Amino acid sequence: MGVDARIGAANNIASGSGTVRSDDQLPSHRAIDNGNPAIFRPKWLVLDDINIDLITVATIVAALASTIFLQTRPALSIGAAAAVLLPLRTFFPRPKIPEGLVLITGASSGIGAEFSYIFAEKGHDLILVGRNEEKLAAVKENVESKYGRKAYTIAADLSLAGVAQQLYDHIKGKGFKVEVLVNGAGLGGAGNTLDQPIELTERMTVLNCITLVQLTQLFGRDMIERGRGWMLQITSIGGWLASPYQNLYHATKHYARAFSEALSVELRAHPGIVNTQLMPGPTHTQFITRAHAEELTMMATPLTLEDPRQVAMAGYRGLCKGKRMVFSSWNGAMSALTLQLVPRSVHLTMGALMNTPLRGLKRVQEPEKDQKARGEDL
Ligand SMILES: NC(=O)c1ccc[n+]([C@@H]2O[C@H](COP(=O)([O-])OP(=O)(O)OC[C@H]3O[C@@H](n4cnc5c(N)ncnc54)[C@H](OP(=O)(O)O)[C@@H]3O)[C@@H](O)[C@H]2O)c1
């Protein structure tokens, strides 16, 4: 829908007609047919990460039930459950280790830069995307001098509508074949939701949600055609939290988390394609200062700050194991999952407390290392 059509819709509402219409609106029967091929075949019987978790739950429930109701000896129940679960969880799923050219968005700093070094170390050539050309060049320099891999940089603002298609066309036009996609670019923002600039809402949503999804669609289709590919979505433990004062950011991460989880189910029909989401907790990168979140309790409590290298490594390992989702720390996993189990009133209060500013008592310092100075400590 173009801008004019939107203005038309707004005028109709304002004039009290109560219907949102524009001249180019399709009748519903045509709209359904309009480029949305609604033919799909769900696949169930695949030994993937999801079904293995399901079998794990069923086995544990069966072991408990037989101990409680059938008076089976606990040692026997535990032994039988372990005999099923240990080999299953140790050896499956085992997709191929990622190979080929890696596209990383948000590669100019933080977790994305660490992914660049990890993939380069594993022998991949890279396409690095971000806005800051100088920082991208520094990561490229490190990748090429330290690991001897080729890195191409593309400066692009991924918070603009339509940019995913442009980036895809540009990369295809250069003849690159992306085998691994890491959707890492992201932007946060702390504060009262209603005070935040409308324009920030749009940019954050396009960057954290729309671009991530569209890049996944565009490169994912090519992967399906080739019968192999790896996708890694960087979401957040914030995708589990209703989060007063980081509301917009965590809402975008809910979107990305739900999208990625459901995609993993759809990709069962394509066994060569892996989709993993990495859910970091608060991590020591410039993200925190950029989001004006450096004084929030959850960020400024030193015990909870994660190291970007370890976060990226957790994501890489998860991708190699074909996991649909990985937390980067036990701490993050426990807080995200525990907060699902408590009543919503407790959840919301905890969420608000975690985002309470410490008003100068404590604040996170931006990481000192810039990528230029990384040469020696990589
Ligand atoms: N740090 C945390 O506490 C934390 C926790 C959970 C999840 N995450 C997620 O982890 C991901 C990486 O964040 P990080 O912690 O590594 O922060 P970071 O150091 O600020 O990295 C963010 C990256 O995204 C890129 N980016 C931001 N806006 C962009 C735009 N409009 N167009 C293109 N690229 C853009 C930045 O590149 P330029 O500066 O060159 O534009 C940078 O490379 C994000 O998705 C974030 O939501 C972070």
Side-chain angles (χ1 to χ4, degrees):
M1 190 187 281
V3 172
D4 288 343
R6 265 190 262 148
I7 291 167
N11 284 345
N12 272 337
I13 292 172
S15 67
S17 69
T19 51
V20 180
R21 301 197 59 166
S22 69
D23 291 344
D24 60 356
Q25 189 173 10
L26 291 167
S28 59
H29 67 278
R30 276 184 52 208
I32 288 168
D33 290 345
N34 192 25
N36 183 13
I39 299 166
F40 48 88
R41 288 205 184 83
K43 209 161 182 186
W44 300 98
L45 299 177
V46 175
L47 204 51
D48 65 355
D49 185 47
I50 304 162
N51 275 340
I52 290 172
D53 278 0
L54 201 63
I55 295 169
T56 305
V57 171
T59 309
I60 291 170
V61 169
L64 281 175
S66 83
T67 308
I68 295 166
F69 299 114
L70 305 175
Q71 312 286 312
T72 315
R73 275 188 296 142
L76 195 64
S77 303
I78 294 170
V84 173
L85 294 181
L86 283 178
L88 190 69
R89 297 200 71 93
T90 313
F91 299 116
F92 296 98
R94 273 295 177 270
K96 280 185 154 179
I97 301 292
E99 288 171 19
L101 183 65
V102 186
L103 167 64
I104 302 176
T105 70
S108 57
S109 64
I111 301 168
E114 299 304 329
F115 267 117
S116 310
Y117 303 137
I118 290 170
F119 276 107
E121 197 178 353
K122 306 286 177 192
H124 297 260
D125 289 341
L126 307 165
I127 302 178
L128 311 172
V129 184
R131 283 170 306 178
N132 189 316
E133 292 184 42
E134 208 181 307
K135 286 187 181 173
L136 284 174
V139 177
K140 171 187 162 77
E141 164 67 22
N142 289 339
V143 163
E144 294 186 342
S145 59
K146 172 86 185 179
Y147 301 108
R149 304 310 311 182
K150 202 95 203 86
Y152 309 89
T153 59
I154 301 175
D157 185 344
L158 301 180
S159 66
L160 304 175
V163 73
Q165 182 72 56
Q166 287 169 16
L167 181 66
Y168 173 80
D169 291 344
H170 178 80
I171 289 171
K172 292 280 278 188
K174 296 267 175 217
F176 290 126
K177 189 169 82 177
V178 172
E179 305 242 37
V180 185
L181 169 67
V182 180
N183 268 317
L187 168 72
N192 282 321
T193 307
L194 302 189
D195 291 342
Q196 293 195 315
I198 299 284
E199 176 261 349
L200 174 69
T201 309
E202 188 164 325
R203 282 183 37 222
M204 198 191 290
T205 310
V206 173
L207 179 66
N208 296 0
C209 305
I210 311 290
T211 302
L212 176 143
V213 170
Q214 291 184 336
L215 288 177
T216 303
Q217 288 180 300
L218 292 162
F219 288 104
R221 285 174 196 162
D222 290 349
M223 292 176 190
I224 284 171
E225 225 168 73
R226 290 195 291 267
R228 67 171 208 172
W230 295 263
M231 293 184 274
L232 207 147
Q233 322 288 354
I234 306 185
T235 63
S236 168
I237 61 163
W240 296 86
L241 311 175
S243 215
Y245 315 116
Q246 281 206 79
N247 188 359
L248 296 175
Y249 172 62
H250 283 180
T252 64
K253 292 294 179 180
H254 273 70
Y255 178 107
R257 175 177 70 84
F259 163 75
S260 184
E261 279 193 85
L263 179 69
S264 295
V265 178
E266 294 182 19
L267 287 173
R268 281 174 165 172
H270 306 281
I273 319 292
V274 179
N275 179 63
T276 299
Q277 72 168 306
L278 167 65
M279 296 174 287
T283 304
H284 199 196
T285 67
Q286 63 170 18
F287 170 89
I288 297 175
T289 25
R290 278 188 163 181
H292 299 295
E294 61 271 47
E295 287 199 356
L296 301 191
T297 306
M298 74 187 301
M299 300 295 188
T301 320
L303 272 181
T304 63
L305 267 195
E306 297 178 17
D307 175 67
R309 167 94 190 174
Q310 281 162 14
V311 170
M313 194 44 103
Y316 178 78
R317 291 201 185 106
L319 188 70
C320 292
K321 289 182 183 164
K323 295 284 179 197
R324 70 187 183 283
M325 53 187 202
V326 276
F327 289 98
S328 51
S329 68
W330 278 102
N331 190 11
M334 289 313 289
S335 23
L337 298 178
T338 321
L339 284 173
Q340 303 314 299
L341 303 176
V342 298
R344 288 311 278 178
S345 54
V346 177
H347 178 115
L348 290 168
T349 308
M350 294 299 291
L353 282 173
M354 286 193 294
N355 288 319
T356 303
L358 294 176
R359 302 194 185 289
L361 282 178
K362 206 152 197 202
R363 56 177 19 233
V364 177
Q365 296 300 321
E366 183 145 328
E368 276 168 22
K369 290 178 204 159
D370 72 16
Q371 300 302 327
K372 269 192 199 156
R374 289 297 295 276
E376 284 309 303
D377 77 341
L378 279 172

XYZ file of all heavy atoms in Angstrom, residues 237-323:
675
model
N 16.653 -12.601 25.048
C 15.772 -13.117 26.098
C 14.601 -12.137 26.284
O 13.561 -12.506 26.811
C 16.485 -13.370 27.449
C 17.078 -12.085 28.007
C 17.525 -14.444 27.348
C 17.414 -12.208 29.492
N 14.792 -10.910 25.807
C 13.697 -9.932 25.846
C 12.485 -10.406 25.049
O 11.380 -9.922 25.265
N 12.692 -11.351 24.140
C 11.582 -11.908 23.372
C 10.643 -12.740 24.237
O 9.588 -13.175 23.779
N 11.027 -12.975 25.497
C 10.164 -13.718 26.421
C 9.494 -12.787 27.430
O 8.690 -13.232 28.240
C 10.991 -14.737 27.217
C 11.617 -15.807 26.399
C 12.815 -15.745 25.754
C 11.093 -17.114 26.152
N 13.065 -16.930 25.112
C 12.029 -17.794 25.354
C 9.931 -17.774 26.547
C 11.830 -19.096 24.918
C 9.741 -19.071 26.123
C 10.682 -19.720 25.312
N 9.893 -11.522 27.420
C 9.457 -10.639 28.508
C 8.549 -9.525 28.018
O 8.870 -8.855 27.042
C 10.672 -9.970 29.174
C 11.840 -10.865 29.571
C 12.994 -10.032 30.090
C 11.386 -11.863 30.625
N 7.433 -9.333 28.715
C 6.690 -8.081 28.539
C 7.448 -7.083 29.391
O 7.652 -7.308 30.580
C 5.270 -8.238 29.019
N 7.901 -6.009 28.791
C 8.999 -5.276 29.401
C 8.744 -3.782 29.465
O 9.139 -3.042 28.572
C 10.233 -5.560 28.550
O 11.362 -5.619 29.311
N 8.080 -3.317 30.533
C 7.881 -1.872 30.649
C 9.224 -1.152 30.578
O 10.197 -1.623 31.160
C 7.276 -1.707 32.055
C 6.783 -3.067 32.433
C 7.583 -4.063 31.689
N 9.297 -0.088 29.869
C 10.492 0.775 29.698
C 11.536 0.215 28.720
O 12.528 0.860 28.474
C 11.147 1.139 31.056
C 10.097 1.546 32.060
C 9.878 0.793 33.210
C 9.280 2.648 31.818
C 8.871 1.133 34.103
C 8.274 2.996 32.705
C 8.074 2.230 33.836
O 7.061 2.559 34.695
N 11.304 -1.006 28.230
C 12.041 -1.417 27.016
C 10.990 -2.045 26.104
O 11.249 -3.026 25.411
C 13.115 -2.453 27.318
C 14.383 -1.883 27.899
C 15.581 -2.765 27.600
O 16.139 -2.750 26.508
N 15.958 -3.551 28.582
N 9.825 -1.461 26.153
C 8.634 -2.049 25.571
C 8.774 -2.315 24.070
O 8.618 -3.454 23.607
C 7.464 -1.096 25.847
C 6.134 -1.679 25.468
O 6.057 -2.799 24.981
N 5.079 -0.917 25.669
N 9.109 -1.264 23.322
C 9.161 -1.424 21.863
C 10.208 -2.446 21.476
O 9.971 -3.328 20.645
C 9.514 -0.083 21.196
C 8.511 1.042 21.369
C 9.062 2.314 20.758
C 7.197 0.654 20.708
N 11.380 -2.326 22.075
C 12.479 -3.226 21.716
C 12.101 -4.680 22.001
O 12.242 -5.549 21.142
C 13.744 -2.826 22.478
C 14.854 -3.824 22.305
C 15.386 -4.080 21.041
C 15.368 -4.541 23.382
C 16.395 -5.022 20.861
C 16.375 -5.470 23.219
C 16.885 -5.713 21.957
O 17.875 -6.646 21.783
N 11.601 -4.930 23.192
C 11.273 -6.319 23.516
C 10.072 -6.816 22.712
O 9.984 -7.998 22.402
C 11.073 -6.469 25.023
C 12.385 -6.489 25.763
N 12.476 -6.621 27.124
C 13.660 -6.399 25.302
C 13.772 -6.615 27.485
N 14.497 -6.471 26.387
N 9.174 -5.908 22.351
C 8.063 -6.326 21.485
C 8.602 -6.761 20.114
O 8.143 -7.753 19.544
C 7.058 -5.188 21.333
N 9.606 -6.043 19.601
C 10.165 -6.460 18.303
C 10.848 -7.822 18.444
O 10.832 -8.636 17.529
C 11.191 -5.449 17.730
O 12.335 -5.361 18.587
C 10.590 -4.083 17.515
N 11.426 -8.064 19.614
C 12.113 -9.344 19.795
C 11.115 -10.493 20.002
O 11.404 -11.640 19.679
C 13.117 -9.251 20.954
C 14.298 -8.321 20.640
C 15.176 -8.861 19.498
C 16.331 -7.961 19.130
N 17.167 -8.461 18.040
N 9.914 -10.180 20.530
C 8.848 -11.195 20.565
C 8.526 -11.629 19.139
O 8.357 -12.809 18.847
C 7.563 -10.616 21.180
C 7.490 -10.720 22.659
N 8.280 -9.979 23.492
C 6.709 -11.477 23.461
C 7.994 -10.271 24.751
N 7.043 -11.180 24.759
N 8.401 -10.642 18.280
C 8.066 -10.900 16.880
C 9.120 -11.821 16.264
O 8.811 -12.846 15.660
C 8.028 -9.548 16.158
C 7.737 -9.571 14.678
C 6.505 -9.148 14.182
C 8.701 -9.964 13.763
C 6.247 -9.131 12.821
C 8.445 -9.956 12.396
C 7.226 -9.548 11.933
O 6.978 -9.532 10.579
N 10.393 -11.422 16.445
C 11.475 -12.186 15.817
C 11.568 -13.596 16.409
O 11.818 -14.565 15.700
C 12.795 -11.442 15.990
N 11.339 -13.695 17.717
C 11.438 -15.026 18.348
C 10.339 -15.953 17.832
O 10.605 -17.087 17.436
C 11.318 -14.910 19.873
C 11.297 -16.254 20.572
C 11.243 -16.115 22.073
N 9.987 -15.610 22.572
C 8.917 -16.364 22.808
N 8.942 -17.662 22.582
N 7.812 -15.833 23.280
N 9.112 -15.425 17.824
C 7.998 -16.260 17.371
C 8.195 -16.647 15.908
O 7.978 -17.799 15.510
C 6.681 -15.506 17.544
N 8.647 -15.687 15.110
C 8.884 -15.953 13.698
C 9.901 -17.080 13.541
O 9.695 -18.036 12.786
C 9.403 -14.681 13.011
C 10.055 -14.950 11.681
C 9.287 -15.254 10.574
C 11.440 -14.930 11.550
C 9.889 -15.542 9.349
C 12.043 -15.208 10.339
C 11.266 -15.516 9.233
N 10.983 -16.976 14.263
C 12.062 -17.947 14.078
C 11.645 -19.340 14.551
O 11.940 -20.352 13.895
C 13.308 -17.474 14.835
O 14.357 -18.356 14.593
N 10.948 -19.391 15.684
C 10.532 -20.703 16.198
C 9.601 -21.403 15.210
O 9.757 -22.583 14.912
C 9.799 -20.529 17.525
C 10.715 -20.351 18.706
C 9.966 -20.510 20.005
O 9.806 -21.639 20.474
O 9.511 -19.478 20.557
N 8.631 -20.644 14.712
C 7.656 -21.244 13.799
C 8.322 -21.633 12.477
O 7.996 -22.662 11.876
C 6.505 -20.275 13.556
N 9.281 -20.816 12.041
C 9.988 -21.139 10.800
C 10.715 -22.478 10.924
O 10.753 -23.273 9.982
C 10.985 -20.017 10.478
C 11.806 -20.230 9.210
C 10.916 -20.132 7.967
C 12.941 -19.214 9.105
N 11.274 -22.726 12.092
C 11.994 -23.991 12.288
C 11.056 -25.178 12.049
O 11.475 -26.210 11.521
C 12.578 -24.076 13.696
O 13.558 -23.082 13.850
N 9.802 -25.030 12.432
C 8.843 -26.112 12.191
C 8.593 -26.263 10.690
O 8.616 -27.368 10.142
C 7.501 -25.833 12.918
C 6.494 -26.932 12.611
C 7.719 -25.715 14.406
N 8.402 -25.127 10.017
C 8.132 -25.195 8.573
C 9.310 -25.794 7.815
O 9.128 -26.471 6.803
C 7.813 -23.800 8.031
C 6.507 -23.228 8.589
C 6.187 -21.858 8.011
O 6.729 -21.508 6.958
O 5.386 -21.138 8.635
N 10.502 -25.544 8.306
C 11.690 -26.013 7.586
C 11.932 -27.520 7.740
O 12.855 -28.061 7.133
C 12.928 -25.222 8.022
C 12.968 -23.791 7.479
C 14.122 -23.015 8.072
C 13.039 -23.774 5.950
N 11.078 -28.179 8.538
C 11.169 -29.636 8.613
C 11.055 -30.280 7.247
O 11.586 -31.344 7.004
C 10.005 -30.172 9.433
C 10.201 -30.043 10.870
C 8.941 -30.470 11.545
N 9.195 -30.684 12.939
C 8.245 -30.914 13.813
N 6.994 -30.956 13.431
N 8.553 -31.111 15.066
N 10.316 -29.593 6.381
C 10.120 -30.156 5.046
C 11.403 -30.066 4.226
O 11.468 -30.604 3.118
C 8.990 -29.405 4.344
N 12.417 -29.375 4.764
C 13.671 -29.179 4.017
C 14.847 -29.549 4.920
O 15.455 -28.690 5.560
C 13.786 -27.723 3.563
C 12.592 -27.277 2.788
N 12.407 -27.587 1.465
C 11.493 -26.599 3.171
C 11.256 -27.094 1.058
N 10.680 -26.499 2.077
N 15.164 -30.824 4.976
C 16.123 -31.310 5.969
C 17.519 -30.687 5.870
O 18.247 -30.653 6.850
C 16.199 -32.819 5.696
C 15.201 -33.125 4.646
C 14.634 -31.871 4.109
N 17.908 -30.156 4.726
C 19.254 -29.573 4.604
C 19.361 -28.155 5.151
O 20.445 -27.571 5.182
N 18.225 -27.579 5.574
C 18.243 -26.173 6.001
C 18.120 -26.101 7.529
O 17.218 -26.707 8.106
C 17.059 -25.378 5.397
C 16.809 -25.754 3.942
C 17.253 -23.876 5.583
C 17.857 -25.345 2.976
N 19.008 -25.353 8.137
C 18.967 -25.190 9.592
C 18.572 -23.748 9.912
O 19.083 -22.809 9.285
C 20.364 -25.464 10.208
C 20.342 -25.264 11.713
C 20.835 -26.864 9.869
N 17.673 -23.578 10.848
C 17.342 -22.241 11.338
C 17.462 -22.230 12.863
O 16.755 -22.967 13.544
C 15.920 -21.849 10.932
C 15.560 -20.464 11.456
O 16.168 -19.473 11.082
N 14.595 -20.398 12.368
N 18.381 -21.419 13.339
C 18.636 -21.357 14.788
C 18.435 -19.933 15.251
O 18.832 -18.993 14.565
C 20.107 -21.759 15.068
O 20.299 -23.095 14.624
C 20.443 -21.670 16.546
N 17.834 -19.774 16.430
C 17.832 -18.420 16.977
C 18.670 -18.392 18.238
O 18.646 -19.303 19.056
C 16.441 -17.885 17.235
C 15.714 -18.480 18.390
C 14.476 -17.672 18.741
O 14.543 -16.464 18.974
N 13.342 -18.338 18.762
N 19.436 -17.314 18.340
C 20.301 -17.110 19.494
C 19.659 -16.042 20.362
O 19.313 -14.961 19.866
C 21.677 -16.639 18.995
C 22.626 -16.083 20.052
C 23.025 -17.159 21.059
C 23.878 -15.512 19.391
N 19.491 -16.350 21.660
C 18.814 -15.406 22.551
C 19.774 -14.918 23.636
O 19.859 -15.522 24.710
C 17.605 -16.088 23.169
C 16.572 -16.454 22.120
S 15.209 -17.406 22.752
C 15.991 -18.971 23.000
N 20.515 -13.851 23.334
C 21.441 -13.345 24.340
C 20.694 -12.661 25.476
O 19.590 -12.150 25.296
C 22.270 -12.290 23.583
C 21.894 -12.410 22.145
C 20.556 -13.055 22.100
N 21.329 -12.672 26.654
C 20.892 -11.788 27.748
C 21.665 -10.481 27.580
O 22.346 -10.283 26.562
N 21.586 -9.604 28.603
C 22.344 -8.352 28.522
C 23.823 -8.629 28.240
O 24.467 -9.388 28.956
C 22.157 -7.748 29.915
C 20.874 -8.312 30.389
C 20.780 -9.697 29.825
N 24.343 -8.027 27.199
C 25.685 -8.338 26.713
C 26.486 -7.049 26.600
O 25.938 -6.000 26.202
C 25.580 -9.016 25.325
O 24.732 -10.162 25.459
C 26.932 -9.464 24.809
N 27.764 -7.140 26.927
C 28.571 -5.914 26.992
C 28.997 -5.452 25.596
O 30.098 -5.782 25.124
C 29.792 -6.143 27.883
C 30.383 -4.856 28.347
N 31.634 -4.755 28.869
C 29.889 -3.586 28.359
C 31.888 -3.494 29.178
N 30.838 -2.778 28.879
N 28.129 -4.703 24.957
C 28.420 -4.125 23.639
C 27.917 -2.684 23.639
O 27.242 -2.253 24.578
C 27.682 -4.886 22.509
O 26.281 -4.659 22.672
C 27.958 -6.376 22.528
N 28.192 -1.998 22.536
C 27.724 -0.604 22.435
C 26.198 -0.518 22.335
O 25.622 0.558 22.438
C 28.342 0.057 21.210
C 27.907 -0.610 19.922
C 28.299 0.137 18.654
O 29.163 0.990 18.689
N 27.664 -0.190 17.562
N 25.562 -1.661 22.103
C 24.099 -1.721 22.035
C 23.472 -1.015 23.244
O 22.488 -0.281 23.116
C 23.661 -3.191 22.005
C 22.191 -3.397 22.161
C 21.354 -3.411 21.057
C 21.619 -3.567 23.422
C 19.989 -3.594 21.199
C 20.269 -3.748 23.571
C 19.449 -3.762 22.460
N 24.058 -1.252 24.427
C 23.460 -0.765 25.677
C 23.451 0.766 25.699
O 22.434 1.390 25.996
C 24.233 -1.344 26.886
C 24.093 -2.869 26.885
C 23.725 -0.751 28.197
C 24.905 -3.584 27.938
N 24.597 1.371 25.345
C 24.638 2.841 25.353
C 23.804 3.415 24.217
O 23.155 4.438 24.365
C 26.093 3.350 25.279
O 26.906 2.369 24.671
C 26.637 3.672 26.635
N 23.801 2.719 23.073
C 22.985 3.204 21.959
C 21.506 3.217 22.312
O 20.745 4.045 21.835
C 23.170 2.297 20.747
C 24.398 2.633 19.970
C 24.411 1.839 18.689
N 25.341 2.402 17.758
C 25.546 1.924 16.532
N 24.861 0.884 16.106
N 26.410 2.484 15.742
N 21.107 2.258 23.153
C 19.689 2.165 23.529
C 19.375 3.048 24.741
O 18.255 3.029 25.246
C 19.338 0.711 23.840
N 20.370 3.796 25.223
C 20.243 4.587 26.463
C 19.782 3.704 27.610
O 18.938 4.081 28.414
C 19.273 5.762 26.270
C 19.740 6.706 25.220
N 20.897 7.454 25.328
C 19.252 6.993 23.993
C 21.087 8.163 24.233
N 20.115 7.894 23.395
N 20.357 2.509 27.651
C 19.949 1.545 28.675
C 21.066 1.303 29.682
O 20.997 0.368 30.475
C 19.566 0.222 28.005
N 22.072 2.180 29.688
C 23.255 1.888 30.503
C 23.004 1.980 32.002
O 23.788 1.489 32.791
C 24.440 2.777 30.089
C 24.248 4.273 30.234
C 23.648 4.897 28.969
O 22.664 4.350 28.442
O 24.162 5.939 28.522
N 21.883 2.610 32.392
C 21.609 2.713 33.831
C 20.492 1.764 34.272
O 20.085 1.787 35.421
C 21.200 4.148 34.174
C 22.361 5.112 34.129
C 22.063 6.388 34.891
O 20.939 6.541 35.381
O 22.970 7.211 34.988
N 19.979 0.968 33.351
C 18.903 0.062 33.743
C 19.458 -1.026 34.662
O 20.573 -1.526 34.451
C 18.270 -0.608 32.530
C 17.651 0.288 31.457
C 16.834 -0.525 30.479
C 16.794 1.394 32.074
N 18.659 -1.410 35.650
C 19.127 -2.407 36.631
C 19.633 -3.663 35.939
O 20.676 -4.203 36.285
C 17.964 -2.764 37.585
O 17.470 -1.546 38.128
C 18.426 -3.675 38.705
N 18.902 -4.141 34.924
C 19.296 -5.409 34.286
C 20.632 -5.293 33.552
O 21.338 -6.278 33.393
C 18.195 -5.935 33.347
C 18.072 -5.186 32.050
S 16.638 -5.707 31.058
C 16.921 -7.426 30.788
N 20.969 -4.110 33.111
C 22.220 -3.926 32.386
C 23.377 -3.614 33.337
O 24.503 -4.042 33.136
C 22.094 -2.766 31.392
C 21.025 -2.958 30.347
S 21.419 -4.360 29.274
C 20.160 -4.190 28.027
N 23.078 -2.832 34.368
C 24.159 -2.319 35.213
C 24.546 -3.276 36.346
O 25.406 -2.964 37.148
C 23.757 -0.973 35.796
N 23.877 -4.426 36.417
C 24.249 -5.399 37.453
C 25.342 -6.283 36.879
O 25.062 -7.094 35.998
C 23.026 -6.274 37.826
O 21.898 -5.437 37.867
C 23.216 -6.985 39.134
N 26.572 -6.142 37.345
C 27.704 -6.765 36.653
C 27.572 -8.267 36.457
O 27.993 -8.794 35.438
C 28.896 -6.467 37.567
C 28.419 -5.520 38.597
C 26.938 -5.439 38.543
N 26.931 -8.972 37.407
C 26.835 -10.432 37.296
C 26.124 -10.869 36.017
O 26.345 -11.965 35.515
C 26.048 -10.982 38.483
C 26.860 -11.304 39.729
C 25.949 -11.858 40.804
C 27.973 -12.285 39.398
N 25.250 -10.029 35.498
C 24.422 -10.490 34.386
C 24.980 -10.115 33.007
O 24.436 -10.521 32.000
C 22.999 -9.900 34.481
O 23.122 -8.487 34.378
C 22.310 -10.272 35.763
N 26.038 -9.313 32.951
C 26.517 -8.892 31.626
C 27.317 -9.992 30.924
O 28.292 -10.505 31.476
C 27.397 -7.645 31.762
C 26.707 -6.295 31.614
C 27.733 -5.214 31.417
C 25.695 -6.262 30.483
N 26.917 -10.320 29.725
C 27.582 -11.412 28.997
C 28.664 -10.869 28.063
O 28.620 -9.712 27.655
C 26.538 -12.205 28.199
C 25.521 -12.871 29.112
C 24.436 -13.625 28.357
O 24.625 -13.913 27.158
O 23.400 -13.905 28.969
N 29.590 -11.760 27.719
C 30.685 -11.385 26.835
C 30.290 -11.689 25.383
O 29.846 -12.804 25.087
C 31.923 -12.202 27.235
C 33.061 -11.958 26.282
O 33.569 -10.834 26.275
O 33.417 -12.880 25.514
N 30.418 -10.707 24.464
C 29.918 -10.922 23.099
C 30.549 -12.122 22.382
O 29.894 -12.791 21.594
C 30.256 -9.616 22.379
C 31.121 -8.835 23.278
C 30.947 -9.351 24.654
N 31.810 -12.401 22.677
C 32.476 -13.547 22.042
C 31.797 -14.864 22.476
O 31.510 -15.731 21.669
C 33.958 -13.537 22.428
C 34.709 -14.797 22.115
C 35.383 -14.704 20.790
N 35.918 -15.987 20.365
C 36.464 -16.207 19.196
N 36.529 -15.255 18.314
N 36.923 -17.373 18.878
N 31.532 -14.954 23.807
C 30.889 -16.185 24.294
C 29.464 -16.314 23.766
O 28.994 -17.413 23.473
C 30.891 -16.204 25.814
C 32.242 -16.622 26.348
C 32.460 -16.257 27.795
O 31.522 -15.920 28.506
N 33.714 -16.309 28.216
N 28.798 -15.171 23.655
C 27.431 -15.180 23.117
C 27.454 -15.719 21.685
O 26.687 -16.620 21.321
C 26.831 -13.748 23.151
C 25.531 -13.690 22.371
C 26.609 -13.295 24.585
N 28.370 -15.174 20.877
C 28.435 -15.604 19.476
C 28.832 -17.077 19.383
O 28.292 -17.822 18.554
C 29.418 -14.727 18.711
N 29.732 -17.510 20.242
C 30.161 -18.907 20.201
C 28.985 -19.843 20.517
O 28.828 -20.887 19.893
C 31.316 -19.104 21.189
C 32.063 -20.396 21.016
S 32.430 -20.791 19.285
C 34.123 -20.387 19.170
N 28.150 -19.437 21.485
C 26.967 -20.247 21.815
C 26.065 -20.362 20.582
O 25.523 -21.435 20.282
C 26.199 -19.614 22.968
N 25.936 -19.265 19.847
C 25.098 -19.286 18.641
C 25.695 -20.192 17.584
O 24.982 -20.972 16.940
N 26.994 -20.101 17.389
C 27.648 -20.938 16.374
C 27.478 -22.422 16.713
O 27.137 -23.234 15.843
C 29.139 -20.571 16.268
C 29.857 -21.439 15.267
C 29.735 -21.195 13.902
C 30.603 -22.541 15.683
C 30.352 -22.014 12.967
C 31.233 -23.367 14.759
C 31.105 -23.093 13.398
O 31.709 -23.908 12.481
N 27.681 -22.754 17.985
C 27.553 -24.172 18.385
C 26.117 -24.663 18.187
O 25.891 -25.773 17.719
C 27.960 -24.348 19.846
C 29.441 -24.141 20.064
C 29.914 -24.807 21.356
N 31.290 -24.492 21.595
C 31.732 -23.626 22.529
N 30.868 -23.023 23.329
N 33.012 -23.383 22.663
N 25.172 -23.795 18.538
C 23.763 -24.163 18.365
C 23.439 -24.427 16.904
O 22.727 -25.376 16.568
N 23.991 -23.599 16.039
C 23.748 -23.751 14.596
C 24.333 -25.088 14.116
O 23.700 -25.820 13.350
C 24.409 -22.589 13.863
C 24.118 -22.447 12.373
C 22.673 -22.006 12.162
C 25.043 -21.411 11.733
N 25.530 -25.390 14.583
C 26.180 -26.657 14.169
C 25.385 -27.867 14.644
O 25.388 -28.903 13.994
C 27.599 -26.745 14.732
S 28.703 -25.539 14.014
N 24.709 -27.721 15.784
C 23.953 -28.858 16.323
C 22.525 -28.895 15.813
O 21.751 -29.772 16.189
C 23.918 -28.777 17.852
C 25.249 -29.074 18.504
C 25.075 -29.007 20.009
C 26.401 -29.232 20.705
N 26.351 -28.798 22.098
N 22.143 -27.912 15.002
C 20.780 -27.907 14.462
C 19.728 -27.541 15.498
O 18.562 -27.904 15.380
N 20.135 -26.788 16.530
C 19.173 -26.368 17.563
C 18.245 -25.309 16.997
O 18.682 -24.433 16.240
C 19.915 -25.768 18.760
C 20.785 -26.769 19.489
C 19.936 -27.664 20.321
C 20.740 -28.700 21.066
N 19.923 -29.800 21.552
